[in-house]
Amino acid sequence: MVHPGGFLEVITGPMFAGKTTELIKRIERQMFAKRKAALFKPTIDNRYSEDEVVAHNGLRYEAFVVPTTEEGVGRIVEITKREGYEVIGVDEVQFFPMTIVEALERLADEGVYVIASGLNLDFKGDPFPVTKELLVRADNVVYLTAVCTVCGRPATRSQRLIDGKPAPKNSPIVLVGGRESYEARCREHHIVP
Ligand code: ADP
Ligand code: MG
């Protein structure tokens, strides 16, 4: 795609939907088109790497790592303006405070092609407020689905499992002891006891 000018694009869906892959692809294409582009990601997402955005299929790209605070949001704006980036991608955008919505929208107003990628719903099935707000303000939305690990149908939700069992609604955000994991699930197989 050619650079659309000031534009806010949101990539969303559950875990394993290919959000990070799609974000990297879009950024890379802009780089091939000689646009000055950069990726940002929150420090909280240090699953595989400190200074790269890494997808579940191993695809990786260099990224600025910023804290999930208002200061971190300020860093994104500051770096983008200082370096004159024409395109920026923000992965795991749902982890940032609400102030990121206005910050990204302002960058788009100023001519930057902003691509924000983030989870649609938390493990309980409730919307992430940042993603929800970005979705209605976006110029374009890319809504991706994963594959349900139970039935193979399109998955729109992220199932949290603790020691292999569906995590209850009131389960602690940070776990001590038990092993947890996440799976992509369709509406029918998304279970929140
Ligand atoms: P996201 O950022 O949305 O979590 P990624 O782009 O990091 O997704 O990874 C997508 C990749 O995850 C797919 O290309 C596929 O290789 C892998 N994958 C693992 N489990 C699933 C699943 N249940 N449905 C679809 N893809 C899956
Ligand atoms: Mg991802």
Side-chain angles (χ1 to χ4, degrees):
M1 184 168 99
V2 293
H3 190 288
F7 203 75
L8 177 60
E9 188 161 62
V10 177
I11 301 168
T12 193
M15 289 180 74
F16 306 106
K19 301 182 300 298
T20 299
T21 305
E22 186 63 32
L23 178 64
I24 291 173
K25 177 186 148 190
R26 281 166 190 252
I27 291 289
E28 194 176 43
R29 287 181 68 88
Q30 293 297 323
M31 287 173 169
F32 278 126
K34 306 246 184 320
R35 293 292 181 169
K36 213 166 146 49
L39 263 178
F40 294 88
K41 72 162 198 175
T43 43
I44 211 166
D45 178 27
N46 54 3
R47 280 174 298 189
Y48 303 107
S49 165
E50 285 298 329
D51 54 357
E52 288 174 311
V53 164
V54 183
H56 294 293
N57 51 21
L59 184 66
R60 54 182 65 218
Y61 234 87
E62 263 181 52
F64 290 104
V65 182
V66 293
T68 54
T69 57
E70 300 203 359
E71 201 185 309
V73 173
R75 289 268 296 155
I76 294 174
V77 175
E78 186 244 316
I79 293 169
T80 302
K81 290 189 175 181
R82 190 187 68 210
E83 302 295 326
Y85 285 118
E86 301 168 280
V87 188
I88 63 161
V90 182
D91 203 12
E92 304 286 4
V93 74
Q94 78 279 353
F95 289 135
F96 287 99
M98 279 307 275
T99 51
I100 196 156
V101 176
E102 202 192 331
L104 295 183
E105 202 167 38
R106 193 169 306 154
L107 286 173
D109 286 343
E110 291 168 6
V112 179
Y113 173 21
V114 177
I115 315 170
S117 170
L119 282 169
N120 55 350
L121 307 167
D122 64 20
F123 77 95
K124 292 173 283 191
D126 295 327
F128 278 102
V130 165
T131 313
K132 185 176 167 182
E133 188 69 18
L134 282 170
L135 280 171
V136 290
R137 293 174 180 276
D139 296 295
N140 187 43
V141 172
V142 181
Y143 216 118
L144 302 173
T145 56
V147 176
C148 177
T149 54
V150 177
C151 68
R153 286 194 289 243
T156 52
R157 275 127 232 271
S158 306
Q159 177 71 52
R160 184 187 189 190
L161 300 167
I162 299 176
D163 296 322
K165 293 192 213 77
K169 209 173 178 85
N170 59 1
S171 56
I173 300 294
V174 180
L175 271 190
V176 183
R179 281 158 50 89
E180 72 170 335
S181 61
Y182 290 88
E183 286 183 4
R185 298 281 182 93
C186 68
R187 181 180 286 275
E188 185 186 341
H189 294 115
H190 182 255
I191 298 154
V192 186

